[in-house]
Amino acid sequence: MSTVNSDKLSSARFAQATNAFVEVFTASVDFDKRMAEQDIQGSIAHATMLSACGILTGQECDAIIEGLSRIRQEIGSGQFTWSIKQEDVHMNIEARLTDLIGIAGKKLHTGRSRNDQVATDIRLYLRSEISHISDQLIRLQTAILNLAEQTADTIMPGFTHLQVAQPITFGHHLMAWFEMLNRDHERLQDCCKRINIMPLGAAALAGTSYPINRFMTAELLGFSRPSANSLDSVSDRDFAIEFTAAASLIMMHLSRFSEELILWSSAQFDFIDIPDAFCTGSSIMPQKKNPDVPELVRGKSGRVTGHLVSLLMLMKSQPLAYNKDNQEDKEPLFDTVDTVINCLRAYADMMPHITPKKANMYTSAKRGFATATDLADYLVRKGMAFRDAHEVVGLAVRLGVDTGRDLSEIALTELQQFSSLISDDVFEYLTLEGSVAARSHIGGTAPDTVRAAIDTARKNLTDASKNQ
Ligand code: ARG
């Protein structure tokens, strides 16, 4: 019996060769070869299990493992020839294995399918990439803690609606960033629990009739357990969507940090200096120093959210079980991983070199009537109802605006014309230092509170990096 196309998968079934364009169109090897290492790990575990269960002989298993190790080395040294004739990473490796070891290579696929193989590879791949992302997150968080420590008592204006609201410390502001990244870290760890479940053994969709031991393969690959339903585990990519959602939140947070760094480094704010090594100039305007790294990161946040939407739409309405649609999961996923790692890395590299311009922050905090709430609180403590106090302070602020003075610069007698409750102790509340020091409850901006928050955060971060 002759076959029409000896390269074609399941070629005996087909009377026609694959259309040349369709062959290119349906191949995924150009991008899924990125999972070669995971594919090899999965195959070694599968072969080991097959031999322990008496489905392969010990010699066959040894030959497979030897062949796969050789392939690993060929890929590592760039000698491996990838071919779209073999469609994807799985078939390329299996075909080379058969070239190398003959018939035993053809037995590797016993009791599995590319459907459970690819689902396993993606999970192994994501598990390892999440640990790289976590490493970068921890680097960035450490840099933020260090800067926060140096600026725990550096006063700056805090904003709402981007208008000066109340004085805060720069360290407190930075610790807000830290908290966001902490939740990002937790989300990644949490999604890892659902990633770390093994599809192998689900085979094409229904399981396999060979006497396999899925617990053994799961253990060999470091999965917490085999999946509970074969149909589900070859088809759903919710774990990848969940990861991409967590990545989108990281990028959303980075875009917020970026926006602030861009504003703060502008001549109008002038709160920080971003070192030259992280900025570029303009080809036409000689005076320019552009905050390229934060801008680019802000821009890249959009593409990761785009990938999240792509993956959701990819999965939406797919009937059970595996469909070729799922091949489209890889490019958005890989790009998400690359983007998040690169952006976190750029940030972690840049953050230790950011210089706060403390005097400018202080002057700016003085300018915006940032202690108006403190004056109102002062009047409330003296017995006035808050709404009335709000009115009184409004009048004092108007006087300050009209005469170009901050509240702390208005004379006591002038303040007293708005309320007789005001006495000379008011000035300790109207200073920026007094205002921040008064907010000393947990989560507040008082320098000592911020220092305590940094200590706790540092301890938790050390524990988190140990548990990686
Ligand atoms: N390249 C495929 C993917 O990425 C592998 C699984 C193919 N399975 C199949 N029955 N066609 O999903």
Side-chain angles (χ1 to χ4, degrees):
M1 195 180 88
S2 71
T3 52
V4 177
N5 176 355
S6 59
D7 286 326
K8 190 161 183 165
L9 288 179
S10 322
S11 53
R13 156 89 181 67
F14 290 90
Q16 272 184 348
T18 313
N19 169 297
F21 177 68
V22 168
E23 189 167 79
V24 176
F25 183 67
T26 54
S28 56
V29 64
D30 281 348
F31 48 86
D32 65 18
K33 64 182 176 201
R34 183 164 169 156
M35 301 190 302
E37 173 55 31
Q38 289 76 25
D39 200 68
I40 291 170
Q41 282 170 18
S43 291
I44 290 177
H46 180 66
T48 307
M49 179 279 290
L50 289 180
S51 129
C53 296
I55 302 163
L56 289 181
T57 66
Q59 279 117 315
E60 286 166 337
C61 175
D62 290 347
I64 287 172
I65 294 176
E66 231 177 272
L68 288 170
S69 308
R70 161 109 185 253
I71 291 170
R72 176 185 270 149
Q73 185 245 313
E74 288 176 356
I75 294 171
S77 61
Q79 285 158 348
F80 191 89
T81 315
W82 299 101
S83 161
I84 64 152
K85 292 240 172 275
Q86 297 299 340
E87 193 178 313
D88 56 24
V89 61
H90 324 291
M91 294 307 302
N92 268 268
I93 290 177
E94 191 185 321
R96 175 68 183 140
L97 183 67
T98 303
D99 280 354
L100 286 170
I101 66 166
I103 189 102
K106 296 190 185 177
K107 292 191 178 180
L108 170 62
H109 214 51
T110 312
R112 79 172 181 188
S113 144
R114 277 184 301 153
N115 298 351
D116 57 346
Q117 194 178 351
V118 68
T120 303
D121 291 0
I122 307 172
R123 285 170 184 266
L124 288 173
Y125 164 82
L126 265 186
R127 195 177 71 186
S128 118
E129 293 297 347
I130 283 178
S131 103
H132 296 138
I133 296 172
S134 294
D135 289 345
Q136 294 301 333
L137 265 175
I138 289 173
R139 280 186 66 221
L140 174 56
Q141 285 183 288
T142 306
I144 289 175
L145 281 183
N146 294 341
L147 191 56
E149 205 150 56
Q150 294 161 34
T151 54
D153 56 4
T154 301
I155 289 173
M156 70 179 285
F159 300 90
T160 60
H161 312 270
L162 208 57
Q163 309 288 322
V164 172
Q166 290 174 344
I168 55 168
T169 58
F170 190 58
H172 192 54
H173 193 117
L174 290 175
M175 288 306 287
W177 292 8
F178 181 91
E179 288 297 316
M180 298 179 203
L181 295 174
N182 236 16
R183 291 192 295 277
D184 289 331
H185 200 231
E186 278 175 22
R187 257 186 291 273
L188 286 179
Q189 301 308 316
D190 193 63
C191 102
C192 239
K193 290 185 210 151
R194 285 170 292 281
I195 289 174
N196 206 25
I197 289 172
M198 189 195 68
L200 266 188
L205 75 164
T208 175
S209 55
Y210 296 96
I212 58 170
N213 180 350
R214 298 187 67 213
F215 287 95
M216 180 179 176
T217 337
E219 198 181 324
L220 288 171
L221 290 169
F223 282 112
S224 57
R225 62 172 171 86
S227 59
N229 182 289
S230 60
L231 294 174
D232 173 45
S233 57
V234 290
S235 85
D236 207 342
R237 296 291 183 263
D238 59 352
F239 66 93
I241 296 175
E242 203 180 331
F243 163 78
T244 310
S248 302
L249 288 173
I250 295 177
M251 292 303 300
M252 178 275 287
H253 285 150
L254 290 182
S255 80
R256 298 186 65 192
F257 307 169
S258 295
E259 179 69 10
E260 296 192 323
L261 291 178
I262 293 161
L263 283 172
W264 292 345
S265 63
S266 71
Q268 286 68 25
F269 276 79
D270 205 18
F271 285 1
I272 57 162
D273 183 57
I274 303 178
D276 292 0
F278 295 89
C279 295
T280 60
S282 153
S283 53
I284 175 170
M285 296 166 282
Q287 85 283 13
K288 290 295 287 288
K289 176 172 152 183
N290 296 326
D292 288 50
V293 169
E295 284 177 329
L296 197 54
V297 169
R298 185 176 60 182
K300 282 181 187 288
S301 62
R303 79 198 253 168
V304 173
T305 305
H307 294 327
L308 171 62
V309 175
S310 298
L311 289 174
L312 277 167
M313 291 303 100
L314 172 67
M315 207 64 238
K316 180 186 170 295
S317 312
Q318 266 196 52
L320 286 168
Y322 176 86
N323 300 285
K324 182 79 168 176
D325 312 40
N326 279 347
Q327 183 165 291
E328 282 287 297
D329 61 0
K330 311 220 177 23
E331 286 158 296
L333 196 60
F334 296 162
D335 189 69
T336 296
V337 166
D338 288 342
T339 306
V340 172
I341 290 189
N342 290 339
C343 291
L344 284 171
R345 187 191 153 167
Y347 252 79
D349 288 351
M350 174 179 68
M351 193 56 62
H353 305 288
I354 289 199
T355 320
K357 297 185 169 177
K358 299 181 181 182
N360 293 352
M361 292 184 195
Y362 192 86
T363 313
S364 168
K366 273 215 123 179
R367 243 186 271 123
F369 300 98
T371 55
T373 316
D374 296 271
L375 179 55
D377 291 344
Y378 169 88
L379 290 167
V380 169
R381 274 197 301 274
K382 298 246 164 167
M384 193 179 281
F386 184 79
R387 281 287 158 231
D388 293 334
H390 193 278
E391 272 300 301
V392 166
V393 178
L395 293 170
V397 167
R398 198 194 303 163
L399 176 66
V401 172
D402 290 347
T403 58
R405 287 176 296 172
D406 181 53
L407 288 178
S408 62
E409 291 160 352
I410 300 177
L412 180 61
T413 48
E414 288 175 285
L415 288 173
Q416 280 169 337
Q417 67 185 347
F418 303 119
S419 167
S420 56
L421 291 174
I422 299 178
S423 58
D424 61 358
D425 63 345
V426 73
F427 292 104
E428 60 193 82
Y429 300 97
L430 292 187
T431 61
L432 299 173
E433 289 76 5
S435 173
V436 294
R439 288 160 173 83
S440 58
H441 52 75
I442 182 163
T445 195
D448 284 344
T449 308
V450 173
R451 285 190 197 99
I454 295 169
D455 283 350
T456 311
R458 208 182 276 286
K459 204 183 136 296
N460 292 342
L461 192 61
T462 314
D463 292 348
S465 50
K466 275 193 213 126
N467 293 337
Q468 279 274 97

